[in-house]
Amino acid sequence: MDLLEYQVKEWFGQIGIPVLPSQRIDHPTDLKRLKIPYPVVLKSQVHSGGRLKAGGVRFVETTIDAIAAAQNIFNLPIGGDLPEVLLAEAKYDIEQELYLAVVLDTALCRPILLGCPEANIDWESVGEKMQHVVVEQDFSPFYARRLALKMGLQGALIQAVSSVIEKMYDLFIEKDLDLIEINPLGINSTGQVMALNGSVRVNERAIARHPDIALMATKMVNRYNGNCRHQNLSDWDGVELNGKIGILGNGAGSVLATMDLVSNAGGKPGICLNLRHASPIEPSPTTFRSRLEKALLIMAADKSIQVILINLLGSIPQASEVAEVIIDFVNQQKSELQPLTSSSNGSKNKRDKQSLIPRLVIRLAGSDFDIAKKELAGLKCDIAIEVVDNLDEAVNEAVGFVKTAASKK
């Protein structure tokens, strides 16, 4: 979960990292009550990069100019994202800019301190300019000073920058972060350092341990769901597209790979959900079974979904119960549709059910699913269920059904 700049600056201020006087702006008229002396800079609060080039950062000298600029920024999409909040911040005259970061290296399973004597760096050509220090044991100020020296800093600047790095690391550990970044750290003519922009990425699996972060995450989810067709998709690691093939998987990689295969085969993915984890902000524990049950109901509730493509592989808890969940789902859908089709003749009844209930294409890979595959393969019902071993075959089956259904209309 990535935070917006104004949220990052609040954390910086609380832990003692130097930040400029600033004020959150929810509406252009808030600038009439601005407590920061002019000149100020107005910044669009979006997750997308390139705000300055896109026009999302404006320097203003008066209240009239500030209100006019704010109105423009509020209506300026950056990377497809419109800001709901602006940040008004005091102007700062700098003579030097640095880059600092603390990041979790998943290969080493250790935090790494990063520093560069230049800000706004081009990662493809940064080369030897970027310095790093691996925090191999319990953290001490030694690591921060070592990075400052490797960056070529001298005199009082070593202590000033080292102090910022120490506090960044403290925040990194305290909040269970994957990344904390200051880009740039500004230095003025007197040697004073100032965090002019910051980024923070929270480890999603740690959100539940921090009530304040969980509250922030809930607000973000609610804001996103205001424009979402399915309010309960906030409980999932997934995406909502506009195709007719719903995808369920037990891993982000398998879900993305299945989406790519569907697209390459000429199909269009719809709702795509990763069942491996529950929502990071879900307060109550969940099981794989409960997540599969809920996901199937979400798919069935979306009448645009014609096929549910289930791709499960590897080892999962409650693998033997997968068939039971799917069979219960099919029986529930049949019973709910029975009153709607009871007045039709037998053949018409069968066609109605097949058009109203999504077709199930199921690919189960792994010995854990042997029992489930046998039960599903022997299932006899008037709702189409295809159980296949090969993912390519499953994708072709799903895409082919949608194309056939479209040609009959």
Side-chain angles (χ1 to χ4, degrees):
M1 184 184 81
D2 294 329
L3 270 59
L4 294 169
E5 181 189 359
Y6 81 93
Q7 297 168 322
V8 175
K9 294 284 183 68
E10 289 177 359
W11 281 9
F12 283 0
Q14 292 168 4
I15 205 165
I17 296 175
V19 292
L20 293 167
S22 62
Q23 186 173 326
R24 169 177 167 163
I25 305 298
D26 295 290
H27 190 273
T29 55
D30 291 347
L31 289 160
K32 294 180 180 179
R33 297 174 291 278
L34 190 64
K35 300 176 181 179
I36 307 168
Y38 287 96
V40 299
V41 57
L42 299 177
K43 299 181 180 181
S44 178
Q45 297 300 285
V46 294
H47 292 292
S48 305
R51 293 181 301 174
L52 182 60
K53 292 182 179 179
V57 178
R58 306 279 186 90
F59 291 90
V60 292
E61 303 281 345
T62 66
T63 301
I64 295 176
D65 291 341
I67 293 174
Q71 289 173 339
N72 289 330
I73 297 174
F74 270 117
N75 292 289
L76 177 68
I78 301 176
D81 193 7
L82 273 175
E84 292 193 353
V85 177
L86 305 186
L87 181 68
E89 194 170 65
K91 190 176 179 181
Y92 190 70
D93 295 322
I94 57 176
E95 289 196 351
Q96 185 180 357
E97 294 181 340
L98 308 178
Y99 172 90
L100 296 175
V102 182
V103 62
L104 179 64
D105 189 307
T106 54
L108 298 175
C109 297
R110 299 299 303 173
I112 292 183
L113 312 180
L114 297 176
C116 183
E118 298 178 10
N120 301 311
I121 51 180
D122 180 357
W123 285 97
E124 295 183 357
S125 59
V126 63
E128 298 178 354
K129 295 180 181 179
M130 180 65 73
Q131 304 297 327
H132 74 277
V133 172
V134 179
V135 181
E136 297 175 342
Q137 300 175 353
D138 291 340
F139 185 82
S140 73
F142 160 78
Y143 288 107
R145 289 196 297 271
R146 184 179 176 189
L147 179 64
L149 289 170
K150 292 182 71 173
M151 292 170 63
L153 304 181
Q154 298 179 354
L157 201 54
I158 294 177
Q159 180 57 40
V161 173
S162 297
S163 176
V164 171
I165 296 171
E166 291 176 40
K167 291 169 183 175
M168 290 173 67
Y169 187 85
D170 290 343
L171 189 60
F172 181 86
I173 298 300
E174 177 187 338
K175 299 293 187 180
D176 286 311
L177 305 181
D178 285 338
L179 166 73
I180 177 171
E181 178 183 75
I182 298 179
N183 184 27
L185 180 76
I187 305 170
N188 66 8
S189 57
T190 65
Q192 181 188 29
V193 297
M194 192 69 62
L196 301 182
N197 193 8
S199 301
V200 158
R201 178 168 299 159
V202 182
N203 186 295
E204 289 192 350
R205 297 301 145 200
I207 291 176
R209 295 200 291 268
H210 303 276
D212 58 330
I213 302 177
L215 179 60
M216 295 165 66
T218 301
K219 291 179 179 178
M220 290 181 186
V221 166
N222 290 338
R223 183 183 69 172
Y224 168 78
N225 283 339
N227 299 319
C228 184
R229 288 181 294 157
H230 300 281
Q231 301 295 315
N232 50 8
L233 286 184
S234 62
D235 294 341
W236 300 94
D237 173 13
V239 294
E240 181 184 9
L241 303 175
N242 297 316
K244 300 181 183 298
I245 301 175
I247 297 172
L248 300 180
N250 62 321
S254 67
V255 172
L256 291 172
T258 308
M259 290 172 60
D260 287 342
L261 289 173
V262 168
S263 298
N264 292 338
K268 293 183 179 180
I271 302 171
C272 305
L273 302 178
N274 175 15
L275 305 180
R276 182 177 292 278
H277 303 292
S279 166
I281 60 174
E282 172 63 48
S284 57
T286 65
T287 63
F288 185 86
R289 176 182 181 132
S290 66
R291 295 194 292 274
L292 178 58
E293 290 172 338
K294 188 172 182 180
L296 288 170
L297 293 177
I298 290 175
M299 296 287 186
D302 188 334
K303 301 308 178 186
S304 66
I305 297 294
Q306 295 182 357
V307 180
I308 301 175
L309 175 53
I310 301 175
N311 178 28
L312 305 179
L313 66 158
S315 177
I316 64 170
Q318 303 169 303
S320 60
E321 300 179 22
V322 168
E324 181 182 343
V325 171
I326 294 174
I327 293 171
D328 288 346
F329 166 74
V330 169
N331 290 333
Q332 179 182 350
Q333 296 301 305
K334 288 168 59 180
S335 64
E336 290 179 357
L337 286 175
Q338 190 65 40
L340 300 176
T341 59
S342 58
S343 60
S344 304
N345 61 47
S347 60
K348 180 67 164 58
N349 182 34
K350 183 175 180 179
R351 286 196 302 271
D352 286 344
K353 285 186 177 183
Q354 287 180 336
S355 63
L356 291 172
I357 298 178
R359 183 189 187 98
L360 294 174
V361 180
I362 304 165
R363 183 258 186 157
L364 305 175
S367 58
D368 286 358
F369 297 109
D370 287 346
I371 296 177
K373 284 193 288 187
K374 290 180 181 179
E375 292 184 17
L376 291 171
L379 182 65
K380 295 181 180 180
C381 65
D382 56 1
I383 298 173
I385 296 181
E386 297 290 336
V387 181
V388 299
D389 294 321
N390 184 277
L391 180 55
D392 290 331
E393 183 183 350
V395 169
N396 290 333
E397 182 76 23
V399 174
F401 176 82
V402 172
K403 291 181 176 179
T404 302
S407 65
K408 292 180 178 179
K409 291 183 179 180

